[in-house]
Amino acid sequence: MRLRGAPDHRGGSLPEVVECKRRFGTKADDDDALGWDPAMGMQQKGAAGLGLKLLFRQHCRQRATQAQGASLLELKGAVIRTPRLDLAPTDLQIGAGEVFGLAGLEGSGQELLLKACAGLLPVVEGRRFLAGSDITRLGYHATCRRGVRYLAAGRLEEGLVSGLTLTEHLALVTEEPAFFVDWPANRRQTAERIKRYQVVGTPESTVEQLSGGNQQRFLFGLLPASLRLILLEHPTRGLDLRSTDWIWQQLNERRQDGTAILFISADLDEIIERSDRIAVFSAGHMSRVVDALHTSVDELGHLIGGQQ
Amino acid sequence: MKPAGWLERIWPSLPILAALLLTSLLLIAFGTSPAVAFGAILEGVFSTPERMLTALAFWIPLALASVGLLVTFQAGLWNIGIEGQFILGALGASWVALSFQLPAPLQITLEILAGMVGGALWAGVVALFKRWGVHEIFGGLALNNLAIILTNFLIAGPWQPPEGGSFRGTVPFREDALLPLLGSTRFSPLSLLLAALAFGLVVLALRNSAWGLRLKALGHNPRSAFLLGVSSNREALLAMLFCGALAGLGGAVRVLSWFDSLRQSISGGIGYLALMVVILAAFRLYLTPLVALFFASVLSGSIVLQLRTQLHSSLGDILTGVMVLFVLLFGDFGRVRSLFKRKDQEDV
């Protein structure tokens, strides 16, 4: 088993990848054009599509290793304590542009790690670094100011404010707001975001009137244009296929700019398919980091059960 | 299910009518004609310009405290400590009135500022306690009692009249230290101007400022608001200070125009009354001063009620209290309907 998958190929001219692109009708020099819908198509073709699926993952994996520069987020011997569960000292390194999946039964410590990365929980021992600078002591808002965002699973509980309209949400997240809110300008901007993020709603809709998929789209629409790290709790839980694809398309577009993605999911297929690397949590311990390309649901299952 | 449409529209007035009905029944039980009693209240408010101005003079401190509460309610805070903040405002103004001998404009400005600082200070302590994990209701109640004790201590001790402590009040303030009154009434046009300014400020803050929006988010869902970048501690403190300053202004106006000296029960429960006003107004911005005016009218009209009938003037308190109770119980049409629906389902 490879730990941090040493990339054995670089550059976009690998024959399989070119073939993969050709089949799905994308230009060979355009990495972005290969969206996620073809992948879903492949998935449905069953056994015949399996080889292609692997190729596709390889293709994405490769893009990540290209983008992956210096370590962006780093935890060194981080210990997190909560009344219910303690996270044993954990080392973790995530590169720019990398997608990192956290698996495990709910409440095994992956939520604690994600919250600690956001500054929502204190790292009581050890250190937390972002792009080389020590941010161990920074709280959530200070961490956010350094280009980090945290999207929780409960969209109406921990994300959007029921009773507030879409326009009010956008005005709320405006960075360096003026003392008085320019409502007409905010309404225009909201209408524009609604269009760009394909939200079914109006600027005057309150968020609880939106469907789950549209709430998640709107939450993405509220994110600043440039970010270093996005932390997500079950980003596609309860969403239909189309919204799920759309979410990952958004995240993959962002990783092109070097944004790292760290996410929790209960869906092992999703974790294997979307991640570059994976860590599994079991009773407050993080497993070795596995390469998504060379792992299987079976192996992750064993790790979830606590076997090494 | 068609009747629900018109029922929903007239619903908000029903608790008020029900309260009037219940009070009428009470009056009949005590052997008084409701028509005479309510007529006496109306007479007490509207019969002469002086009486109308008296109701207005009572209204101003109440309105100041009420619109201040709109700010804390917007942030989801139950500022029950407003009573203490009101009293501290009166204490602040009295301290300046008793300690300085300045020309009237300067003296009055200083008194009003001291009142606002006093109220804000008391509110700030509640916010500080909240940060340490003490809920604002408990912190506020404790500070309300402390404010009353402080008043009694000052009246009986350091600020007692030269002829000796009487527990009644301080010596009357100098003429220059009091707000200029209109004729022989207790109404001060300056205080009306201040109240109008305060209301305008609250409207601007809550409707148009980014701060008001942050408070609204905080009031609806503190967790989401925090995750969206709202600093809950800071905004809660600012909301409390803002409300405390307005309540303190109300206290200063009360002691400098309604009274002429610091009395034992300087507030007389205006802070608690303001809470009832805002609840009866369903936390609505423009309704709040109007409901405060209604309260002020009923309560100041009740004095004539006592003269005309043999009833105690607390009938006004009963009327307003029952109204608030009915609004809390039945005011929310959706809630009442769901109560009945649930019962239907249980029957099936």
Side-chain angles (χ1 to χ4, degrees):
Chain A
M1 179 50 53
R2 270 167 237 190
L3 287 186
R4 283 199 194 108
D8 49 0
H9 43 59
R10 286 178 181 276
S13 56
L14 201 76
E16 294 94 329
V17 175
V18 175
E19 169 68 7
C20 178
K21 285 172 175 172
R22 193 189 60 75
R23 286 199 188 192
F24 297 112
T26 56
K27 283 179 262 135
D29 58 349
D30 186 4
D31 273 3
D32 291 0
L34 191 63
W36 288 94
D37 286 322
M40 298 315 295
M42 284 188 290
Q43 215 174 18
Q44 282 149 13
K45 278 176 200 152
L50 222 78
L52 285 176
K53 188 171 155 187
L54 188 70
L55 281 181
F56 184 63
R57 269 162 57 190
Q58 250 165 359
H59 165 82
C60 298
R61 173 85 183 83
Q62 194 183 6
R63 284 196 314 195
T65 47
Q66 277 169 352
Q68 196 172 324
S71 146
L72 181 81
L73 177 78
E74 192 176 356
L75 295 179
K76 276 189 186 163
V79 175
I80 302 149
R81 294 213 178 95
T82 62
R84 258 193 311 181
L85 182 75
D86 292 350
L87 187 72
T90 304
D91 291 307
L92 183 70
Q93 238 180 340
I94 294 165
E98 189 179 18
V99 177
F100 199 104
L102 305 177
L105 295 177
E106 208 148 303
S108 299
Q110 65 272 46
E111 299 90 350
L112 303 187
L113 183 92
L114 201 72
K115 285 199 163 81
C117 288
L120 285 164
L121 282 177
V123 173
V124 288
E125 277 169 41
R127 304 243 146 263
R128 182 168 66 112
F129 297 93
L130 186 73
S133 56
D134 190 334
I135 56 163
T136 312
R137 302 246 162 267
L138 293 192
Y140 171 69
H141 288 141
T143 307
C144 280
R145 278 194 287 277
R146 299 192 172 212
V148 177
R149 283 297 183 279
Y150 171 83
L151 294 183
R155 292 180 275 269
L156 281 183
E157 295 79 32
E158 300 181 279
L160 300 169
V161 182
S162 299
L164 261 61
T165 65
L166 304 192
T167 306
E168 283 175 318
H169 274 85
L170 195 70
L172 195 63
V173 299
T174 306
E175 277 167 80
E176 291 164 31
F179 188 79
F180 289 113
V181 181
D182 183 353
W183 289 114
N186 266 292
R187 210 162 292 131
R188 275 197 303 279
Q189 278 175 30
T190 308
E192 186 195 300
R193 299 253 177 134
I194 283 175
K195 221 170 143 189
R196 196 181 341 145
Y197 290 90
Q198 301 164 23
V199 178
V200 180
T202 67
E204 283 75 33
S205 310
T206 51
V207 285
E208 71 272 16
Q209 292 172 336
L210 303 181
S211 71
N214 282 307
Q215 283 168 5
Q216 188 73 318
R217 279 162 201 270
F218 184 61
L219 269 168
F220 271 71
L222 288 176
L223 293 178
S226 137
L227 283 174
R228 279 170 160 166
L229 173 66
I230 305 181
L231 306 156
L232 304 111
E233 239 181 61
H234 304 286
T236 61
R237 182 196 270 175
L239 298 188
D240 59 28
L241 214 64
R242 202 176 137 255
S243 293
T244 302
D245 281 348
W246 184 90
I247 296 291
W248 279 107
Q249 203 178 320
Q250 290 290 316
L251 290 173
N252 280 301
E253 268 168 31
R254 281 185 179 268
R255 68 189 279 191
Q256 297 300 304
D257 308 328
T259 305
I261 315 283
L262 180 61
F263 77 104
I264 294 177
S265 177
D267 180 352
L268 290 182
D269 282 328
E270 179 179 44
I271 290 206
I272 292 176
E273 190 149 329
R274 310 295 189 181
S275 314
D276 298 315
R277 291 187 299 145
I278 301 165
V280 182
F281 285 78
S282 152
H285 287 271
M286 193 179 93
S287 74
R288 62 199 151 81
V289 175
V290 299
D291 190 328
L293 206 55
H294 300 103
T295 190
S296 60
V297 171
D298 219 32
E299 187 190 7
L300 293 187
H302 281 298
L303 289 171
I304 286 172
Q307 300 172 22
Q308 285 302 309
Chain B
M1 289 314 291
K2 278 293 128 194
W6 62 264
L7 197 61
E8 194 167 0
R9 219 161 299 149
I10 62 156
W11 193 261
S13 55
L14 288 186
I16 311 246
L17 291 175
L20 283 172
L21 196 70
L22 185 78
T23 322
S24 303
L25 290 177
L26 268 177
L27 284 168
I28 292 166
F30 282 104
T32 311
S33 152
V36 172
F38 291 131
I41 291 180
L42 285 177
E43 187 197 336
V45 187
F46 296 109
S47 57
T48 64
E50 282 77 24
R51 281 177 173 160
M52 285 166 79
L53 287 176
T54 302
L56 212 56
F58 184 77
W59 170 69
I60 287 165
L62 180 63
L64 280 167
S66 304
V67 298
L69 280 174
L70 285 173
V71 176
T72 42
F73 273 121
Q74 174 118 333
L77 296 166
W78 276 86
N79 185 17
I80 211 151
I82 186 142
E83 176 79 4
Q85 292 148 27
F86 191 92
I87 294 172
L88 256 282
L91 291 184
S94 304
W95 173 69
V96 174
L98 291 169
S99 314
F100 298 94
Q101 307 266 332
L102 300 165
L106 199 60
Q107 176 90 17
I108 288 169
T109 309
L110 213 58
E111 283 166 357
I112 282 170
L113 284 179
M116 292 175 76
V117 168
L121 191 79
W122 224 233
V125 175
V126 176
L128 197 68
F129 282 0
K130 191 178 167 63
R131 214 168 178 155
W132 294 337
V134 181
H135 194 279
E136 72 266 17
I137 290 181
F138 303 125
L141 277 175
L143 285 170
N144 286 353
N145 267 341
L146 212 58
I148 293 171
I149 293 166
L150 187 62
T151 310
N152 289 343
F153 163 73
L154 288 172
I155 291 172
W159 293 354
Q160 63 176 297
E163 65 267 22
S166 63
F167 266 109
R168 288 234 185 91
T170 61
V171 284
F173 304 149
R174 291 180 305 121
E175 194 64 30
D176 275 359
L178 296 172
L179 293 178
L181 300 178
L182 198 66
S184 61
T185 65
R186 291 161 149 183
F187 171 72
S188 144
L190 180 65
S191 66
L192 182 64
L193 184 73
L194 288 171
L197 273 176
F199 184 61
L201 204 63
V202 169
V203 170
L204 268 183
L206 296 189
R207 283 283 161 90
N208 295 311
S209 80
W211 181 61
L213 182 61
R214 289 198 289 274
L215 292 189
K216 191 174 174 187
L218 207 57
H220 279 75
N221 184 342
R223 180 72 188 159
S224 285
F226 179 80
L227 288 172
L228 287 172
V230 177
S231 164
S232 25
N233 278 334
R234 180 169 159 262
E235 307 304 357
L237 174 68
L238 286 176
M240 288 297 285
L241 290 179
F242 195 107
C243 178
L246 288 192
L249 176 59
V253 167
R254 175 95 170 159
V255 78
L256 297 175
S257 64
W258 187 269
F259 297 116
D260 57 355
S261 59
L262 184 66
R263 306 289 176 87
Q264 204 181 0
S265 57
I266 190 71
S267 160
I270 284 185
Y272 297 121
L273 214 54
L275 281 161
M276 304 223 297
V277 164
V278 179
I279 291 168
L280 191 60
F283 312 104
R284 261 174 268 172
L285 203 48
Y286 293 103
L287 212 53
T288 298
L290 296 177
V291 172
L293 189 60
F294 171 74
F295 268 58
S297 305
V298 170
L299 295 179
S300 64
S302 299
I303 295 156
V304 173
L305 175 82
Q306 193 166 7
L307 298 174
R308 287 280 174 280
T309 64
Q310 295 310 305
L311 291 168
H312 194 256
S313 69
S314 60
L315 181 78
D317 292 314
I318 294 173
L319 178 62
T320 51
V322 169
M323 263 181 202
V324 172
L325 203 60
F326 277 16
V327 164
L328 283 176
L329 281 172
F330 309 117
D332 187 343
F333 181 71
R335 196 175 71 87
V336 173
R337 195 167 51 177
S338 70
L339 274 178
F340 279 101
K341 269 205 181 138
R342 207 174 305 148
K343 208 177 165 201
D344 290 347
Q345 281 163 4
E346 276 166 14
D347 288 347
V348 172

